Amino acid sequence: MRATAALALSAFLVAVSSSPAAAADPSPELTYRPEIDLPITVVGGAAWIASELAKKGLAPESCRWCTTNALDTSIRDALVWGGNPNTAHDLSNVTVLGVAPAAALGLTALAAWYDGRSDNIAADLVIVTEAMVVAMNMNQITKYIVGRQRPYAHHDNPDVLRGEGTSGPLPHDDDLSFFSGHSTAVFSLAAASGTVASMRGYRAAPWVWANGMAIAALSGYLRIAGDRHYFTDVLTGAVFGAASGVLIPALFHAPRPGVASSGTRRFRLSLAPVGAGVGVAGAF
């Protein structure tokens, strides 16, 4: 694990050091209002969590979209893991809950630090998270309305169903296939982090894009391999997530006249010792 992390960090440093300059030029200020963006991110995240906890009451009692098509069926048959698709499902959860956020947020912060712009990190991470949260709430609403039957339920896959209660399907989850929440999350994170890095002009922006999209593609494959989603579920999630990841930063946070100036309000978080503990201080 340590060797892998060291190798990844070394590759990152090689990728971003291609410029002969010792340090990058100052990156442009993005439109960022902490009094607006922080509440959107926090409230949106809480709303998504609440909708997950309330799944029993919100999920359709039976499928509204119960049929499949030749394309989805053929790809499903070719990619689903025989014997233990729940392993693919577990790996996809690790990807979306751990690997993708850590990579997207971590590399964005590292790209800012490497260019000597650590003061951008807090705003960059909020913008990336905000894009993902907005995308996930739209995805959740769509899944509850559409009510597409998941492939394991449609095909009555015993390899999935016998794992119920462990890594198998969750109760009330059989008819929430369209469109893939995992794909929406990872592609929105990948696209938002790449877009922010590109708008800032970070030298590591291509690395942020490539890393994020590779992880997102792997997650999409695992959703099909785990028999949780059809190809069209994953494709729609990828397109919607990537579009949200690009458009939300580009439309709402791009540099505007009067923003990229010395008087622009900035948002910073810092840690400071307080007695026997550590306190968090913010500056607007």
Side-chain angles (χ1 to χ4, degrees), residues 77-140:
D77 291 344
L79 297 183
V80 68
W81 286 10
N84 193 9
N86 287 331
T87 299
H89 168 66
D90 293 339
L91 290 173
S92 72
N93 284 338
V94 171
T95 301
V96 75
L97 296 175
V99 177
L105 300 177
L107 284 181
T108 302
L110 190 57
W113 169 82
Y114 190 80
D115 281 0
R117 296 307 307 271
S118 296
D119 50 352
N120 290 344
I121 291 176
D124 289 354
L125 299 191
V126 171
I127 292 171
V128 172
T129 306
E130 179 186 36
M132 186 268 290
V133 164
V134 172
M136 288 304 296
N137 276 279
M138 295 303 296
N139 166 262
Q140 197 82 321

Side-chain angles (χ1 to χ4, degrees), residues 221-236:
Y221 160 73
L222 289 172
R223 296 310 286 164
I224 301 174
D227 214 17
R228 264 50 176 199
H229 286 290
Y230 292 109
F231 170 73
T232 51
D233 301 331
V234 170
L235 179 62
T236 305

Side-chain angles (χ1 to χ4, degrees), residues 96 180-188 216 219-220 223 233-235 237-238 241-242:
V96 75
S180 171
H182 284 62
S183 297
T184 301
V186 293
F187 275 95
S188 62
S219 178
R223 296 310 286 164
D233 301 331
V234 170
L235 179 62

